[in-house]
Structures are given as structure tokens and as C-alpha cells.
Amino acid sequence: MIPALELHDVAKSFGPVRALSGVSLTVQAGEVHCVLGENGAGKSTLCNLVNGGVSLERGTMTLYGEPYRPSRPTDALAAGVAMVHQHFSLVPTLTIAENLLLAAGARLRPRRRELHEGLARIEETYGLSVPLDELAGHVPVGVRQQAEIIKCLLRDPRLLLLDEPTAVLGPADVDALLATCRRIAEAGKAVVLVTHKLGEVTRAGDSATILRGGTVAGAGPLAGFGAEDLVELMVGRPMSDLDPLLVASVDESATSREAARITAEPVFRAQGLTLSRADGTLALDGVNLEIAPGEIVGVAGVEGNGQSELVTVLSGAVPPGSGSFLLGEHDLTFATPRGRTAAGLGIIPEDRHHEGCVPAMSIAENLFLPRLSEFARRGLLDRSALHEAAARVIEEHGIRATGPSARMSTLSGGNQQKVVVARELALDPLVCLVAAQPTRGLDIGAVDAVLGRIRSAAQAGAAVLVISSELSELLALCHRIVVAYRGRLLGPVPAAAPQARDEIGRLMVGAAA
Amino acid sequence: MSAFVELAEGGVRLAVPLLLASAGELVSERAGVLNLSVEGMMLTGAFAGAVGASMTGSPWAGVGFALAAGLLAALLQAVLSVTLRADQIVTGIAANALALGGTTYGARLFFTDGRSVPGFEPVLGPLTVLGCAGLAVVAAIGLLLSRRTGYGLAVDAAGADAVAADRTGLPVAAIRYGVVLLTGLTSALAGAQLALAEVHAFTDNLTAGVGYLAVVAVIAGRWRAWPTALACLFFGIAQALQFTAPLLGLHLPTAVLVMSPYLIALVAVSGLVGSSRAPAGLTVPFHRESR
């Protein structure tokens, strides 16, 4: 049988960075082939090579036995290769119907009837449908992804690539997506699923290729790998070397830990915080929370229950409608971000691209942006001192980059997050750390590093608030967990309690409210 | 009464070049290219039109000269802003300065011995044949590139999210080249309008900021077709008012009238009237091969 896609000894560099070298890979038609790897392992580059987004430097590709060398996405589409992009390819200001019409090429008169026939066929074969008249930018992310998949299927591709398709989805959407992948493969097409989440692979995949540092670390049918083998191949060190906390968060059955006894006076005090949305409903409806030095409190909950708003109020981006927020003896309710930093409040924001760093500036500048005055010499910036200090931080935090002057935007997501964490932890004194979704979109190695840093900050005496949608991670990391539900915090549930997971699950749907 | 008729006629006549230039500019900005060089392209078109008409004795040949010159000027802008990904605002200003210097020098060389420039005479109210043709071009652009056609959608996609458009398989660079060249043609036509249908001559800096007004009309119209057209008409009437105000018995300082388009644009962009709708990718060059 001729393989659907075959890559032989493929290489690609971006400037001095080797993204891929000597990668070979075989995908059969009718199977779901998983490409696994940490962030920065070369997964996205591999996708873009096959999709024509970047050009091949060395090696060969064949598609169903034919030599294949796309130089732009249009070539790939013409050859029957369609890709579901991680950040989507829908124009947000057009409706979904207009986006789907454009996928058939720009014509003077859009072929609406053909589109509706195609959509009916797709709904029949794969059970997928989307609201056509909504703006693509206004529908929930799960719907946007379905529209993206439909857009690909309308072209009737022979090979479908999905780049990190589950990174933005909730659990129910993930299940639906994986079922769709299986159905597409059963229809005789080849599906390549690129991901760093191991759970998905075992549920949906037939075979896998594991990438590490731009080379193939392992390949074969998935039946031949255990979950531990996959982690070891991805990370490149044995499971026993990893933080036990991390193992707990990969393994669903979290081990219960001895909870440290916290007796000190609370230093973080939020009382009756409220915040109204634009439509008049309450995003925060009286949030009360106290955290003692050295304590880690987690906020769990289904997204959209006020978690993001709580962070914006605590960070000073939006003033609360009422209530107060005290850190030690400082009243920070209406303080400026600078005032909050001076009081010892560190914030790791939810969206690191927009709120956490300046992508166009260097690592060194990003690291020391809040305290550049420390590097001033006679009013001018001492660049060499800045770079030396940054080089030390890069070394200490294991940030993978070409050097202190590398631009933030050239780093992988995990390494960008390490920079943000390093900057916030460098506050002196660090009285309180608020971390919002600190591990979102990160690979296992980076999760390990970031969680370890947060825990050592607590051990050094900081009060820590972690907002996360990864329950296993919260259970392994926190002392207490509260659950956000319709703008209130329910609980707390001690994380070490044997029934903690069930209890939190009930609170998440408001059962005990 | 006749003063009002004169005002309306003058307003329409002065609005035609504005409509032409801003029709091209609107399409260009929707596709993500801020073509600040409309002023320069208009001036180039006006000069080439006057030279062509004077040399051949035929105003239509002048229009042909103008279109060719506008296309060349637009090609320069397209290569700089799309292929070489230069800063669109800087290249636009540079192109305008170059056009002003070039045409002024050219006029010194060419229009020395009192050469006459044959032009168009009004046939339909205040409009010449060229004016009618200009309005037809504007209407055609409005129809063919509206959001109801696939071409219009493709233009919007290239300006709102060039990366998504590219991944969809749309030729982003070709679309952007196309809209810049289109702006070159419409701007040159607008310039020819001024030289051949209005003043029947070429004088230094003949356009005197009309091209900038076209850019302002697009902003004041919030990147939508009808409001932009209305803005052009209003600016045309405001200009005509400068000449007819005394006839109407109005004693407004001319400076206020000259200023009014810019004040309106400031109000429009400052967010006083709803949210701004500038295309997200405006002035952002597109480059595929990056991580």
C-alpha cells in the first residue's frame, strides 16, 4: 500500500535556529497519525512544511507516491492537503458563510448553492454543522474550530493536518473533535494530529511519531507505547527524574499529599469584590478570599465564571464596583499597577502575548522592564550590565533562546512563559503571587519548571493564588481549592482530602451552592 | 437662488475627483495598504494629462498619458509597500514629495512658451464627459468590489487578516498589488479631471491637498462605501462654498471652510461616533515565512 504522506530526511532552519533536522515520517491513508513533541520540538514547522507555509531546505516529501513540494498553501490545497490551524484561518470580520465561500476561491459571484450542497454532504457524512450567518470572530472557539474543519472538508482533501487542535477546547469539545477525526480517517483520508497532550493520542490515534529538539525520538503503532514511554521520549529523561507533582498532573489519579499546616495571619485579603459586565450582569458577585504567607490557594471552575475578571481586578486593569483588596497593610483596591508592584504583588497574566510581555522587545528588556532604573548609569541604560543580569536569569530558569538580546517573539510559548515567571518572581519582597492559567499551552518540560517555581515561591513565604482549568494540576499543587461559580467563590475544599476531586466537580456545576 | 445652484454644481464638480481618488483609496485600505501617495499619484496624473493633451492636441490622449503615469507611480508604491515591505506611511510621504518636486520641475521645462492645454467642456450640467466617465468608474468599483461579490470578500479578507487569507488560499500579495494599481488608475483619472476638466492647464501643486482629502474621506466614512461617498460630496461642497459664500451673503472665514474636512475626520477617528472600524491589517506588511 502506498503511504499517504512520506517525509524523508527533512531539514529546516530559521536563521541560526535548527527547527528540524533529519526527520522522516510515514502516514497511511485511513489512519490517525499523531505527531507528538514538546513546544519547540518542531511540530509546527513540520505542519507548515507539509502545508506549504515554509519551504523545504533539505530532504524529500511524497504524497500518495508522487513527489510533493508545495511552495505556498495554495499548492498544498491543490494537491489535496488541508490544514486546521492552531490559531485558525477564519477572517474574524466576515461571517462563517463568507469565510467558507472564500475557501472556494475569489469569484465575482460567490457560489452559494454549491456551498449549501457541500455543507449538506458534510453534515451527512461527518455530522458537522455550524451557524452560517454569525461573524467568525463572535462565535465560541469550539464552533470556530468546527467551521475551520468544515472549511477543510469542503475541499475534499486526501490528507488533513490538525495543528494543536485541542489547545483551546474544553473537555466536551475535545471529545467531539476526536470523534470527528476518527470519522474522517474511516472515510479513507489520512489524518495527522499534532499535539503535546498525551491523553488525546491514546484515545484517537493509530500510530505516532515523537519529535524532540527537531529530530525523531521514536515512531510506530501506538499500541507499542505506554504513556510513560511517550513522556520519556518527548521530554528526553526518565519519568523518575521528573517532579512528582508533574507526574501526578499527567496521571489522572492524583496522589494525595500531606497538607502543610498554615497558621500565620492572612496577608492577602479580598472582601466583597464585585464587577459588572457591560450588559449589567455581575461578573464578580462578592468575592471573599484570604491567603496566608506560604499558602497556595487554587481557583478551579468552568471558564467564564469570573476567573478572568478576578485577575483583571487584582492586577489593577479594571477597578472593582465595590469591595476591597488588601495586601498586608496596603490597601490596593484602587492602586495603580506600579503601586501594586511596589507592595509586592506579582501577576502572571492569563494571556502572555497581550498582557504578559512585549513580543517585539528582547528577553533582557522584558525581564527588567519594571526596574530598568536599576541599570541606569548617569541617566543612560547600562546595556552590558542588563545583558549580564539577563544571561544569569536565562541560565537559572533554563530558558531556551539564542541569548539575552533575542526577541521575545522568537521564543516558543513555554520559554516566553518562563521569562514572565522569572520577571514576576524577581520582585523583592514577593508578598503575593497571582498566577492565571500559568501552564496553558505549555509542554510537559515547561509545566514542570513553572509549577516548581511557583511552589518554591510559596516556600519562600509568598501567598500564592493559582487560577487554572487543569484540576489535576491544582490538586497536586494547592493547599486549598475554591471553585468559581457565577462570580462567587465556593468552598474551600482541602486539596489533600480523599474526595476532593468529586467535591470540586459538584461545586463546579453549582450543586452545593 | 442662482447662488445655491452654483454651490450645488460646484460641489458636485469638485466632488468627482475626490470620489475617484477615495474609491481607489477605500479599496486599497480595505485590503490593508494605506496608500498615502494618492496625492502624489493625482499630481502625476494631472501633469501627465496636461502634457499629453498639450503635445497631441487631444484631451483623450491626455487621459491615456495620465493613466499610464498613474500606473507607474502606483507600481513604485506597490513594489515598496508589498514586495519590499517598507513602511507605508513613510513611502507615501516620500512619493508625494517626489511627485511635487518632479512635476514642478517638469512644468518649468515643458510649459515655458505659453502652451495651451486642450480640455473637456461641460456636457451634463456641470459635468464633462470625463466627469461622467469618472462617476461610472466609481459606480463600477462600488458594485464589483462590494461585500456581496467574491472579489470584495477577498479584498476584505486580505486587509482584516492576511495570514488567514493566505492560509485560505487567497493570493494576498497579488490582491494588494491589484488594489494599489487600481488606486493609481483612479487617482490619475482624478488628477486628469482637475487638469483637463477644471483648470485646462497645469500649475505648480495643482492638486493642493485633494489627495489627502480623499484619504480623510475614507477615514471619516469609516471604511464604508456610502459614508465615504457622502464625505466626498460634503468636502466638495465645503470647497465650493469658499467661492460662493460671498454670493450667498455668508461671511465665514475661508479658513474655517478649508479646515472643516479635517475637523470632521478628527471627530470620526476619535471614536466620538461609535467604534472605529479600521481594517485590522492596515499598514501591516504580510510575510509568510515566519514562525
Side-chain angles (χ1 to χ4, degrees):
Chain A
M1 189 168 141
I2 301 166
L5 175 72
E6 204 166 13
L7 268 63
H8 182 69
D9 194 27
V10 158
K12 178 73 194 173
S13 302
F14 293 98
V17 184
R18 288 227 115 206
L20 289 175
S21 61
V23 170
S24 300
L25 167 129
T26 309
V27 181
Q28 301 292 347
E31 70 164 15
V32 177
H33 187 95
C34 297
V35 174
L36 284 165
E38 294 194 288
N39 282 352
K43 301 190 303 287
S44 291
T45 307
L46 188 74
C47 278
N48 285 329
L49 274 178
V50 178
N51 184 49
V54 300
S55 56
L56 200 61
E57 213 168 82
R58 196 160 56 81
T60 54
M61 291 195 274
T62 53
L63 188 72
Y64 288 90
E66 309 261 308
Y68 172 62
R69 201 181 173 115
S71 55
R72 57 181 77 90
T74 326
D75 298 349
L77 285 166
V81 175
M83 176 155 158
V84 174
H85 292 270
Q86 187 177 357
H87 299 293
F88 304 135
S89 70
L90 301 171
V91 178
T93 50
L94 302 184
T95 67
I96 289 178
E98 288 171 335
N99 268 295
L100 296 179
L101 285 170
L102 270 184
R107 289 202 175 77
L108 186 56
R109 289 173 67 96
R111 301 192 176 165
R112 290 179 196 274
R113 191 147 49 91
E114 251 174 46
L115 174 67
H116 287 285
E117 284 167 10
L119 289 176
R121 211 171 50 237
I122 286 168
E123 182 158 14
E124 195 184 324
T125 321
Y126 307 107
L128 288 172
S129 66
V130 279
L132 288 174
D133 296 326
E134 302 270 350
L135 285 183
H138 284 182
V139 296
V141 90
V143 176
R144 220 177 308 168
Q145 186 172 58
Q146 289 202 348
E148 180 92 10
I149 294 174
I150 289 177
K151 186 173 151 189
C152 291
L153 291 175
L154 276 172
R155 304 227 179 195
D156 202 21
R158 298 188 284 177
L159 176 78
L160 187 66
L161 285 164
L162 297 102
D163 186 11
E164 296 283 1
T166 59
V168 291
L169 299 184
D173 288 335
V174 169
D175 287 343
L177 171 74
L178 295 180
T180 305
C181 285
R182 284 251 54 103
R183 270 201 292 268
I184 296 171
E186 277 155 22
K189 302 175 192 305
V191 177
V192 177
L193 187 62
V194 178
T195 181
H196 67 262
K197 288 196 177 171
L198 292 173
E200 294 161 19
V201 175
T202 42
R203 272 188 283 164
D206 299 304
S207 58
T209 299
I210 299 104
L211 293 179
R212 186 173 72 232
T215 58
V216 175
L222 265 170
F225 295 108
E228 291 204 2
D229 301 332
L230 292 174
V231 174
E232 287 181 16
L233 285 172
M234 277 168 73
V235 184
R237 23 178 195 164
M239 198 87 161
S240 50
D241 278 10
L242 293 170
D243 194 312
L245 180 154
L246 172 70
V247 178
S249 71
V250 172
D251 187 3
E252 295 254 314
S253 56
T255 48
S256 62
R257 269 173 322 105
E258 190 68 28
R261 198 164 288 277
I262 308 288
T263 50
E265 276 289 296
V267 62
F268 172 107
R269 273 172 304 203
Q271 248 155 20
L273 288 175
T274 66
L275 183 70
S276 306
R277 291 197 189 90
D279 59 6
T281 58
L282 284 175
L284 295 179
D285 183 12
V287 167
N288 298 307
L289 189 64
E290 295 193 335
I291 309 174
E295 189 182 24
I296 308 180
V297 173
V299 178
V302 177
E303 272 185 51
N305 274 291
Q307 296 99 315
S308 304
E309 288 84 355
L310 179 60
V311 177
T312 57
V313 165
L314 293 180
S315 61
V318 179
S322 63
S324 65
F325 168 39
L326 281 80
L327 199 62
E329 64 268 32
H330 301 279
D331 183 351
L332 297 184
T333 316
F334 299 107
T336 58
R338 180 181 282 266
R340 284 165 211 260
T341 307
L345 177 68
I347 305 263
I348 300 171
E350 193 173 308
D351 184 341
R352 63 178 160 266
H353 297 289
H354 290 121
E355 296 163 12
C357 64
V358 187
M361 288 171 75
S362 73
I363 298 177
E365 288 159 344
N366 267 289
L367 275 172
F368 298 108
L369 209 48
R371 43 205 187 92
L372 281 175
S373 57
E374 290 173 24
F375 295 93
R377 213 174 45 186
R378 289 191 290 275
L380 293 177
L381 208 52
D382 184 352
R383 289 257 164 210
S384 55
L386 188 70
H387 279 201
E388 269 170 39
R392 278 197 300 278
V393 175
I394 288 171
E395 173 80 35
E396 189 192 337
H397 284 254
I399 297 164
R400 261 182 285 162
T402 50
S405 49
R407 274 174 25 147
M408 251 335 236
S409 55
T410 64
L411 301 190
S412 69
N415 286 305
Q416 288 177 344
Q417 186 73 330
K418 284 183 195 167
V419 172
V420 175
V421 170
R423 184 187 66 209
E424 295 304 317
L425 290 182
L427 285 183
D428 191 27
L430 182 67
V431 180
C432 173
L433 179 70
V434 175
Q437 312 289 1
T439 61
R440 175 173 287 174
L442 302 195
D443 54 68
I444 294 178
V447 170
D448 187 29
V450 168
L451 292 185
R453 293 282 165 187
I454 291 176
R455 206 166 37 170
S456 53
Q459 275 159 3
V464 179
L465 181 66
V466 182
I467 293 109
S468 175
S469 45
E470 305 276 340
L471 186 52
S472 304
E473 198 174 285
L474 288 179
L475 282 167
L477 181 69
C478 302
H479 301 109
R480 281 190 292 145
I481 296 174
V482 291
V483 179
Y485 181 71
R486 297 197 177 168
R488 290 169 170 274
L489 296 180
L490 310 179
V493 179
Q499 298 303 317
R501 185 178 284 272
D502 300 339
E503 176 74 14
I504 291 168
R506 282 196 310 118
L507 291 175
M508 276 163 84
V509 293
Chain B
M1 191 57 212
S2 68
F4 278 108
V5 171
E6 200 168 317
L7 176 64
E9 286 188 351
V12 169
R13 233 178 49 226
L14 291 169
V16 172
L18 268 173
L19 275 169
L20 268 170
S22 63
E25 179 66 17
L26 174 59
V27 172
S28 175
E29 290 198 19
R30 274 169 59 201
V33 185
L34 178 67
N35 225 329
L36 215 50
S37 56
V38 248
E39 170 79 8
M41 296 193 293
M42 274 181 75
L43 199 54
T44 309
F47 177 71
V51 168
S54 175
M55 274 169 59
T56 61
S58 152
W60 284 112
V63 173
F65 270 64
L67 290 178
L71 212 52
L72 274 179
L75 193 63
L76 175 71
Q77 172 79 20
V79 169
L80 286 173
S81 59
V82 181
T83 305
L84 300 177
R85 298 190 291 276
D87 186 301
Q88 293 171 8
I89 293 170
V90 174
T91 53
I93 292 172
N96 290 343
L98 182 67
L100 178 58
T103 55
T104 304
Y105 179 58
R108 294 278 186 288
L109 293 182
F110 189 80
F111 296 106
T112 44
D113 43 0
R115 282 172 186 256
S116 71
V117 176
F120 294 92
E121 296 305 324
V123 290
L124 190 73
L127 292 175
T128 61
V129 178
L130 186 60
C132 296
L135 285 182
V137 167
V138 171
I141 290 174
L143 282 174
L144 293 180
L145 294 176
S146 83
R147 281 279 280 264
R148 296 183 166 270
T149 71
Y151 296 149
L153 285 180
V155 163
D156 275 347
D161 194 336
V163 174
D166 179 56
R167 287 171 175 172
T168 305
L170 295 175
V172 174
I175 291 173
R176 290 188 167 177
Y177 258 89
V179 295
V180 174
L181 294 181
L182 178 72
T183 314
L185 290 176
T186 62
S187 303
L189 205 52
Q193 188 85 35
L194 287 177
L196 301 176
E198 294 293 325
V199 293
H200 294 215
F202 184 84
T203 53
D204 294 353
N205 195 18
L206 178 74
T207 50
V210 176
Y212 287 113
L213 268 188
V215 178
V216 168
V218 172
I219 298 169
R222 296 163 161 264
W223 296 272
R224 280 172 293 177
W226 282 113
T228 302
L230 278 180
C232 288
L233 195 60
F234 178 85
F235 292 169
I237 289 173
Q239 280 180 310
L241 205 53
Q242 292 169 34
F243 308 112
T244 50
L247 295 176
L248 291 166
L250 285 171
H251 295 287
L252 277 172
T254 320
V256 172
L257 294 169
V258 175
M259 229 163 51
S260 62
Y262 300 99
L263 279 178
I264 291 164
L266 274 182
V267 171
V269 289
S270 61
L272 291 178
V273 206
S275 63
S276 186
R277 306 199 326 158
L282 189 58
T283 77
V284 182
F286 169 66
H287 181 39
R288 185 183 297 135
E289 188 146 333
S290 57
R291 279 204 291 180

